[in-house]
């Protein structure tokens, strides 16, 4: 007799940019249903950019997180609702003191379904914020992982000043707002 198991759910991918990728990565690494989070760059014109090149602002890339998620546990819409809670989608090309197109609010969609969902969530969020939402919506393009020292940065450097004063409050906000979404 052979044992039968339910087929594994295929993972989906999302690319989100909401300012510094250290902040976004730190939040999504704690979300139930997110299997992998990787900081990287997309949306630009230069192949294989470095952090220094992206920060200089000439490559067109945004700092993003690449999320591998299990849609049977958390949907794309839910990921976007978290996204609009943990960053300010009303400031063009900036998050707090981080200024430049690399810090823009952006959703790089993988499919027509992701695009439609993103448009719906943006329209919903327009009623939540006091200023117009400037989040860019674009098709996914070439993605490049950030350098190894950027991966899981907050966990490795929680006392570094940026992490303590910028990243930690975003993580705390996520935990208090979405406690039911926390990994155990």
């Amino acid at each position: 007799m052979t044992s039968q198991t339910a087929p594994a759910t295929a993972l989906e991918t999302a690319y989100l940019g909401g300012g510094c990728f250290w902040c976004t990565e730190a939040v999504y690494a704690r979300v139930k249903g997110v299997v992998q989070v990787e900081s990287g760059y997309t949306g630009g014109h230069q192949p294989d950019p470095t952090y220094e090149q992206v920060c200089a602002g000439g490559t067109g890339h945004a700092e993003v997180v690449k999320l591998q998620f299990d849609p049977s546990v958390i949907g794309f819409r839910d990921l976007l609702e978290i996204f609009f809670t943990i960053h300010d989608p009303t400031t063009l090309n900036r998050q707090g003191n981080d200024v430049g197109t690399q810090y823009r609010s952006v959703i790089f969609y993988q499919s027509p379904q992701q695009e439609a969902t993103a448009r719906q969530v943006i329209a919903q969020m327009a009623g939540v914020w006091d200023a117009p939402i400037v989040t860019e919506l674009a098709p996914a393009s070439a993605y490049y992982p950030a350098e190894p020292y950027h991966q899981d940065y907050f966990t490795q450097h929680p006392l570094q000043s940026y992490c303590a004063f910028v990243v930690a409050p975003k993580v705390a906000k996520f935990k208090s707002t979405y406690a039911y979404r926390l990994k155990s």
Side-chain angles (χ1 to χ4, degrees), residues 149-182:
Y149 70 91
H150 287 296
Q151 307 304 329
D152 204 23
Y153 194 86
F154 177 67
T155 300
Q156 295 180 45
H157 307 282
L159 301 179
Q160 189 259 10
S161 61
Y162 187 89
C163 289
F165 295 109
V166 179
V167 183
K170 289 182 184 241
V171 171
K173 181 177 183 179
F174 163 72
K175 286 179 174 180
S176 68
T177 306
Y178 293 100
Y180 65 98
R181 294 253 182 237
L182 277 169

Side-chain angles (χ1 to χ4, degrees), residues 45-112:
H45 53 78
Q46 180 177 325
D48 204 23
T50 65
Y51 179 69
E52 291 75 18
Q53 291 167 330
V54 172
C55 285
T59 69
H61 291 88
E63 287 191 15
V64 299
V65 290
K66 175 183 177 184
L67 306 175
Q68 296 286 315
F69 65 98
D70 181 342
S72 71
V73 178
I74 188 165
F76 184 64
R77 173 180 297 279
D78 301 313
L79 293 172
L80 293 182
E81 288 173 0
I82 293 168
F83 176 69
F84 283 105
T85 302
I86 61 171
H87 86 292
D88 183 349
T90 69
T91 54
L92 186 62
N93 298 329
R94 83 175 302 148
Q95 287 296 302
N97 292 328
D98 294 330
V99 179
T101 57
Q102 67 271 27
Y103 301 116
R104 66 190 180 268
S105 175
V106 58
I107 300 165
F108 291 98
Y109 56 86
Q110 293 281 326
S111 66

